[in-house]
Amino acid sequence: MPEPLGVRQARAQRTREAVVAAAAAVFVDQGVQAPIRDIAERAGVGVGTIYRHFPTRADLVTAVYRHQIDTCSALAPRLLAESASPYTALTRWADAFVEFLVTKHGLGAALGSGDPGLENLHALMLDTLVPACATLLDACTAADETHPDVTAYTLMRAIGNLCITGPDYDRTDARRMAAALLAGVRRTA
């Protein structure tokens, strides 16, 4: 007897989520050009299952980063609601943004690859994350905790530039420099 449609759809959704989570972890370790078989192994599925859900690598990369972008965006209002001050929320969100950026091995190259499936990923990041950061900065400005002339785009771009890691500059350095940048935009009493 065949499974009801709702059960099949729920199973397919769980499989898709498992593949996205596995791909995110593999991308951190190996970059976005990691072999699909490594992702399939980590997800506990076959390679064909991955291609059934994500026909191209660009589809998989986009799904992984869309999920992570949405998660980072949703963090902003939550942090604002639960933090002692808007500036504390901003610094905690910036930490998450730094973590998002420094774990994206090969994403810059993928974005510049000319792959039409990845064209909208940069715009998605800006369209989703700039408003999230702006919400935090607006709250900081209203509380007189940051300089009012700092814009979300400029702050995020500065943080992004600080997150370009290399042989002599790693995640710890990026976090430390982003914290120094945020200290510089804070208004002192």
Side-chain angles (χ1 to χ4, degrees), residues 70-96:
D70 290 345
T71 299
C72 192
S73 177
L75 186 60
R78 194 181 92 224
L79 289 174
L80 199 52
E82 66 187 30
S83 296
S85 72
Y87 181 78
T88 300
L90 176 65
T91 59
R92 290 177 62 202
W93 186 85
D95 284 344

Side-chain angles (χ1 to χ4, degrees), residues 22 33 45 54 69 90 97 106 108 138 150:
Q33 295 303 323
V45 300
F54 305 100
I69 288 166
L90 176 65
F97 183 57
D138 290 346
V150 177

Side-chain angles (χ1 to χ4, degrees), residues 28 49 52 55 59 62 70 103 109 136 141-142 166 170 178:
V28 168
T49 298
R52 188 169 37 258
D59 293 333
T62 299
D70 290 345
T103 59
L136 294 165
T141 300
D170 62 13

Side-chain angles (χ1 to χ4, degrees), residues 27-40:
F27 290 169
V28 168
D29 294 339
Q30 301 177 39
V32 296
Q33 295 303 323
I36 295 296
R37 71 180 172 278
D38 291 358
I39 297 166

